[in-house]
Amino acid sequence: MASELPPPPPSTAATATATATATTTSSLSSSLAASVAKVSVSLDAPSTAATVKSGAQMSFDFQPFSGTTSTLQTATTADGSDDDSSYEPQPGDNNLAGMEMDIPKCVLHRISHLSQLHDKKGDIMEAYMAERAALEAKYMSLCSPLYEERRQVVVGELDSTIEEAAKRGVYPSSALDDKEEGATGLSANDDENTDGSKIVGCPQFWLVAMGHMDVISDVITEGDVDALEYIYDIKCLDKPDGTGFTIEFYFNSKTNPYFSNEKLTKTYSIPNLYMEDEPIIDDVKGCEIHWLDEEHCLTERSVTKKERSKGGKRKGQVRTITTKERVDSFFWFFTPPKMPDVDEDMEEEEAEAMEEAFDMDYDVAQAFRTHLCRDAILWFTGEAANDEEEDSDEEGEEDEEEEEEDEGGAEEDGEGDKVGPAKPLFPTSAAPEGEQPECKNS
């Protein structure tokens, strides 16, 4: 029968100071985390509180070692005797550097041993990361020819080949009809466009697929639709060492009236990409979009205002000022949130806005990487979206009673019909004021 640990003596107190970095929900890079907030912790029996300098509060209970004393110079050993000798850090004790906690010497040795075990686990995880990256690269190379053939089908390079195969009965006409009614939303139609021209490839393939995924469709505006029709391929390439990935969007630059870029890219540096932990974003890089003219620029517009001079020689005169105004657009995705400097101080509201910007940006990126690029046809037909809806319906039924109670409370408070202000598709912190890209002519 296990014996119970004796409660700490009333007079016992432990004082310690430590500095930790408060990270955001999306686990940003250390530079961002260091600038968001620093936490000073003071531990005293029976409980302590940790205060984030940015203003947020968090508290926790802590029971100090029952063998510690109220002085920093004296430690109580396992046999109850006082040991005034200071502990000399030993090789392998690097993780204890800077620790100002008065702990029995014998316990410090055990903590040092635990630190060594943790270091050994780190070596094992590094080996895992290397093998995982090699395995991902191996199977990506096997899938690459399939993705290339998918591109050929979408742009129409295999139209005649597929028509010949269809005549031989390779593609049963009932392949889609056998599915549940409405499962795909597809139907057989004429082979010609309304203007009489022959349909080539799979028109609007990527636009339709993107529209069926909520995370992505939520950041697409009506003005983006025409431009996104010119996408003929989307690729996602992981770095060979598994420390990040790049999403590539390919546009038909010969017919695209919006910008001259044939390829738009977004690159993420994430050292723990293949780990189950929250992603640690070291860096995010977008690309510059070369808009052909202001009329076709989808991220901002020119606004003309008239102002009357209030003083000086031109007092009372009216002048015309033209300024740039931000417009919500999917194409802000290629202008990533700005990574703050290591020593940059942030207010709480600014840190929260930065966190929201990175969260939204990374959610969209992962939607492309883990879903759309790999299973594009299922998102085009709507099958993947239907599967997600079924899963969400099951979860919704489990939480239905709880949601009804919450809605009832909101109605009682007179807030049931209130609708908050519309949020920008990508938070404005993704393009800080004064740093918004201009509509540049190529």
Side-chain angles (χ1 to χ4, degrees):
M1 188 173 186
S3 59
E4 296 182 357
L5 292 174
S11 61
T12 300
T15 302
T17 59
T19 301
T21 302
T23 59
T24 62
T25 304
S26 57
S27 298
L28 310 181
S29 67
S30 58
S31 60
L32 172 60
S35 64
V36 171
K38 290 186 177 180
V39 184
S40 285
V41 183
S42 177
L43 304 180
D44 287 295
S47 64
T48 60
T51 303
V52 181
K53 290 184 178 179
S54 60
Q57 297 287 331
M58 62 181 178
S59 61
F60 55 90
D61 291 330
F62 175 80
Q63 294 296 335
F65 290 99
S66 59
T68 58
T69 68
S70 57
T71 66
L72 291 175
Q73 301 299 324
T74 304
T76 304
T77 58
D79 60 1
S81 60
D82 292 339
D83 182 5
D84 293 331
S85 60
S86 58
Y87 174 70
E88 295 292 336
Q90 303 297 321
D93 289 357
N94 293 334
N95 291 336
L96 300 177
M99 179 178 283
E100 299 178 8
M101 182 178 293
D102 186 19
I103 299 177
K105 187 174 182 179
C106 60
V107 177
L108 281 176
H109 291 155
R110 295 160 192 165
I111 292 176
S112 178
H113 187 83
L114 292 174
S115 296
Q116 292 176 358
L117 294 178
H118 180 77
D119 292 340
K120 291 180 180 179
K121 189 207 72 170
D123 295 338
I124 294 174
M125 296 311 297
E126 285 184 9
Y128 161 77
M129 287 285 290
E131 290 189 25
R132 170 74 182 272
L135 191 63
E136 291 278 349
K138 172 185 176 181
Y139 283 93
M140 177 56 69
S141 65
L142 296 176
C143 292
S144 291
L146 304 180
Y147 294 150
E148 169 58 20
E149 190 168 340
R150 178 179 67 186
R151 183 200 64 79
Q152 294 174 342
V153 173
V154 170
V155 301
E157 294 178 4
L158 299 181
D159 283 359
S160 58
T161 302
I162 294 175
E163 287 178 6
E164 290 297 326
K167 293 177 181 179
R168 299 195 304 269
V170 175
Y171 316 110
S173 58
S174 59
L176 295 177
D177 297 336
D178 289 343
K179 298 183 180 297
E180 293 183 18
E181 184 177 354
T184 64
L186 299 177
S187 60
N189 207 336
D190 295 334
D191 294 336
E192 295 182 352
N193 292 308
T194 54
D195 60 0
S197 60
K198 188 175 181 180
I199 296 176
V200 178
C202 299
Q204 301 181 334
F205 177 82
W206 288 102
L207 174 61
V208 173
M210 292 165 65
H212 283 157
M213 178 171 285
D214 290 342
V215 175
I216 297 175
S217 64
D218 285 347
V219 297
I220 297 176
T221 68
E222 185 177 351
D224 296 326
V225 173
D226 288 344
L228 294 175
E229 286 186 9
Y230 293 94
I231 295 178
Y232 66 84
D233 197 15
I234 302 178
K235 298 179 181 179
C236 186
L237 308 174
D238 287 2
K239 293 183 179 180
D241 59 358
T243 59
F245 60 92
T246 298
I247 309 174
E248 300 177 343
F249 298 77
Y250 292 85
F251 291 79
N252 188 335
S253 59
K254 295 181 180 179
T255 57
N256 182 3
Y258 292 88
F259 47 83
S260 60
N261 308 63
E262 181 179 357
K263 181 173 69 173
L264 299 180
T265 62
K266 188 75 172 288
T267 301
Y268 293 80
S269 296
I270 306 174
N272 65 335
L273 179 64
Y274 294 147
M275 305 293 286
E276 295 181 358
D277 306 331
E278 287 290 332
I280 300 175
I281 302 177
D282 273 354
D283 192 23
V284 184
K285 293 182 180 179
C287 65
E288 183 181 21
I289 300 177
H290 300 285
W291 302 100
L292 294 177
D293 51 56
E294 290 190 7
E295 180 183 355
H296 288 92
C297 179
L298 300 175
T299 55
E300 60 184 14
R301 61 189 174 192
S302 296
V303 178
T304 302
K305 298 180 181 179
K306 291 185 178 181
E307 291 186 355
R308 187 179 299 274
S309 180
K310 298 180 180 180
K313 297 181 179 180
R314 298 183 179 181
K315 182 178 181 180
Q317 295 182 1
V318 178
R319 61 176 181 172
T320 301
I321 299 177
T322 301
T323 60
K324 298 292 185 180
E325 186 178 85
R326 176 192 171 99
V327 178
D328 278 339
S329 171
F330 167 79
F331 290 93
W332 278 112
F333 177 67
F334 299 99
T335 305
K338 181 183 177 183
M339 302 290 288
D341 297 330
V342 176
D343 299 328
E344 183 178 348
D345 291 330
M346 276 186 163
E347 297 294 334
E348 182 178 0
E349 292 183 0
E350 186 180 0
E352 290 177 354
M354 179 65 67
E355 177 184 328
E356 180 184 5
F358 271 97
D359 283 346
M360 180 176 292
D361 181 88
Y362 191 71
D363 285 346
V364 174
Q366 276 297 341
F368 279 107
R369 176 177 177 267
T370 62
H371 297 288
L372 200 72
C373 291
R374 299 178 183 180
D375 304 315
I377 181 59
L378 298 183
W379 289 102
F380 174 78
T381 62
E383 293 172 85
N386 291 334
D387 291 342
E388 276 201 350
E389 289 178 3
E390 291 177 2
D391 293 339
S392 62
D393 288 342
E394 292 178 0
E395 295 176 359
E397 291 176 0
E398 296 176 358
D399 300 333
E400 185 175 351
E401 294 181 1
E402 182 178 346
E403 291 177 359
E404 288 178 354
E405 291 177 0
D406 293 340
E407 290 175 1
E411 291 176 0
E412 290 176 3
D413 294 337
E415 299 178 353
D417 298 330
K418 290 185 178 180
V419 178
K423 289 185 177 181
L425 300 183
F426 286 102
T428 54
S429 58
E433 186 176 354
E435 297 184 12
Q436 297 182 12
E438 297 180 358
C439 291
K440 297 186 177 180
N441 297 334
S442 59

